[in-house]
Amino acid sequence: MRTCRISALLIAGALMLPLVGCSNKTGDSSGSDNASSAKETKAVADKVELKDYKFPEFLNDIKQPDSLSRPVYVSFALSEYVSEVTEQPFEGYECSQMIENSLYVFSEGKYKGLLNIKGRVVLKADTYTSISLCSPGTLMLSRDKELNAPDEYMAFNIYGTVRAVSTPEFKPDNISIEEETKYKPVASNEDEARYKAYNLTMGDGITVGEGSAYVDWDKIESVSAQSINTSRPYNAYYRVQKGEEIYYICFDRFYNYTIYNGAYGFVRMKVGEGYGGCYILDHEDYSELNKLIESFGESGPVKSPSKDTGLDYVQIETGYGTDDIVTMTISADGYCFTEHLGSGDQQPQKYFTILDKESFVSLVKWVDQVLSEEYKK
């Protein structure tokens, strides 16, 4: 499927080099300042005649971009534990849900109660207006909202027996980072290949992500919601990395966790009256993007862009999760402005280049055809 998308976009090259299409060449003159050393060029671009392109419609649905937008694993999927009742199992009771094949939620007026699988009332419908499952084996019960009473909690077993329990309390210390030495399989005539792997474990000894592909990380660090740029309210956030792939593991107050794809970059664009942006959340897509940019070829730096500020444009930020952030803005006339923040001893760089005008069209189509797949509901 990936191969088809790449071919359709005429992606060439196999190296994953960031923003080669806007590489910084010094031209015929020299000097420490990129702008002063660049070749002179006309301030007015040639007439723009491009193939058809359109604003990616999926961007209209993204009102506030959030880097935690693509879950890949959920430890507690409510649909696996709770099912809607389609046929009433007991005469005289109006049941709405069955919980973990152990309890039925029934209603009497605005109140909710519980029946066991034999139809015996284990909780009368005279106190709570809402009963929901908050984690496996634990119910959250709410009184009438006007009473402003705190939620209450009950544990239950497979026999449908319920009992009150104290309010669950999230303690960050119950989650720890564990290091383990692993061994890679090698040929019989070679030494064993050892490497360090890191996992999150919870107080009950459970390894986070166990049984899935989301274990044995190269790096784990606790981070804040502000550093991720997310509005999703979790009690703890961890950034984890395996090779070049980045993920976030996020815990709610009941220690349920969701693993999200990390962000590798950001795309924003203006096409006609349309404007929007989104994160790049898939490592394979990010690799494709770098190959696409590389396929644009190289162009010497120039001094002046087009003066038409109303042109359509695509802006791409890359290098998220590193110290090497690059922002590239390509307008529909082919002018490209690159800002390279630099890392370590590297100095920040800013310069213009000119690309083939179809490079702009290729980027718009890539966003429309590839990134839209990341945001399908």
Side-chain angles (χ1 to χ4, degrees):
M1 181 178 73
R2 300 265 180 206
T3 303
C4 293
R5 291 192 299 182
I6 295 175
S7 299
L9 294 170
L10 301 179
I11 295 175
L15 298 176
M16 204 180 81
L17 300 176
L19 309 181
V20 174
C22 292
S23 62
N24 182 18
K25 285 189 176 180
T26 57
D28 297 329
S29 58
S30 61
S32 58
D33 186 357
N34 287 313
S36 63
S37 65
K39 293 179 291 186
E40 296 291 338
T41 188
K42 295 180 180 179
V44 180
D46 296 332
K47 184 180 179 181
V48 180
E49 294 181 358
L50 297 173
K51 295 178 182 178
D52 291 337
Y53 63 89
K54 62 180 181 178
F55 180 74
E57 292 297 328
F58 80 97
L59 293 178
N60 291 322
D61 297 327
I62 303 175
K63 306 305 180 186
Q64 181 63 46
D66 193 313
S67 60
L68 299 183
S69 297
R70 197 176 192 221
V72 295
Y73 182 83
V74 179
S75 69
F76 175 61
L78 197 61
S79 60
E80 295 180 5
Y81 296 87
V82 178
S83 58
E84 300 299 319
V85 174
T86 56
E87 295 184 8
Q88 293 301 321
F90 308 111
E91 187 177 350
Y93 293 98
E94 183 185 349
C95 298
S96 56
Q97 293 180 325
M98 185 181 189
I99 299 177
E100 292 194 40
N101 296 319
S102 301
L103 294 169
Y104 285 94
V105 178
F106 73 97
S107 303
E108 289 185 3
K110 68 176 182 178
Y111 294 107
K112 307 289 185 182
L114 294 170
L115 301 168
N116 65 16
I117 57 175
K118 294 183 178 180
R120 184 174 65 86
V121 175
V122 296
L123 182 69
K124 292 182 179 181
D126 59 3
T127 303
Y128 304 104
T129 56
S130 173
I131 299 176
S132 59
L133 188 68
C134 61
S135 64
T138 304
L139 299 168
M140 180 169 65
L141 303 95
S142 303
R143 295 174 182 268
D144 208 327
K145 295 300 182 183
E146 285 74 16
L147 298 178
N148 200 28
D151 293 329
E152 298 176 24
Y153 298 87
M154 290 186 177
F156 64 94
N157 57 27
I158 59 174
Y159 305 107
T161 302
V162 299
R163 60 181 178 86
V165 295
S166 58
T167 301
E169 181 182 359
F170 183 86
K171 298 179 179 179
D173 291 345
N174 283 345
I175 302 172
S176 60
I177 301 174
E178 302 292 335
E179 177 186 307
E180 184 180 356
T181 300
K182 299 275 187 175
Y183 300 89
K184 292 181 180 178
V186 295
S188 58
N189 60 344
E190 297 180 4
D191 294 332
E192 282 187 320
R194 300 183 182 184
Y195 66 99
K196 298 291 186 183
Y198 299 87
N199 282 295
L200 291 174
T201 61
M202 291 186 280
D204 50 10
I206 294 177
T207 298
V208 173
E210 192 167 24
S212 73
Y214 303 103
V215 291
D216 295 344
W217 306 102
D218 297 334
K219 183 179 179 181
I220 298 178
E221 60 179 330
S222 176
V223 294
S224 66
Q226 290 74 23
S227 69
I228 306 174
N229 189 26
T230 182
S231 59
R232 298 182 186 274
Y234 287 100
N235 286 65
Y237 304 80
Y238 289 87
R239 183 182 186 275
V240 298
Q241 189 166 343
K242 184 180 296 186
E244 295 179 338
E245 297 185 13
I246 301 168
Y247 299 88
Y248 289 99
I249 304 178
C250 307
F251 293 84
D252 67 17
R253 64 192 180 102
F254 306 109
Y255 297 96
N256 305 314
Y257 60 88
T258 301
I259 302 179
Y260 294 90
N261 268 345
Y264 300 93
F266 194 88
V267 171
R268 58 178 59 86
M269 66 170 56
K270 171 190 172 296
V271 174
E273 299 299 319
Y275 176 83
C278 66
Y279 285 95
I280 305 170
L281 300 173
D282 184 280
H283 186 262
E284 290 186 37
D285 290 344
Y286 182 62
S287 298
E288 286 184 9
L289 173 62
N290 280 309
K291 292 176 184 177
L292 175 60
I293 292 172
E294 182 188 351
S295 75
F296 296 157
E298 298 186 9
S299 173
V302 295
K303 194 169 185 179
S304 301
S306 166
K307 300 300 183 182
D308 186 355
T309 58
L311 285 175
D312 297 340
Y313 69 86
V314 178
Q315 185 178 76
I316 300 172
E317 298 173 0
T318 64
Y320 279 29
T322 74
D323 296 326
D324 199 20
I325 304 296
V326 178
T327 302
M328 179 183 75
T329 306
I330 298 178
S331 57
D333 58 6
Y335 275 95
C336 170
F337 178 58
T338 299
E339 295 181 89
H340 190 179
L341 296 182
S343 60
D345 296 332
Q346 293 180 341
Q347 296 297 315
Q349 300 178 35
K350 297 182 181 182
Y351 50 89
F352 287 101
T353 52
I354 297 181
L355 303 177
D356 185 287
K357 297 181 181 67
E358 294 304 326
S359 299
F360 167 80
V361 178
S362 295
L363 284 174
V364 174
K365 289 184 176 180
W366 182 85
V367 172
D368 191 26
Q369 297 173 17
V370 178
L371 282 196
S372 60
E373 295 295 314
E374 295 186 7
Y375 289 87
K376 281 189 175 180
K377 302 301 181 185

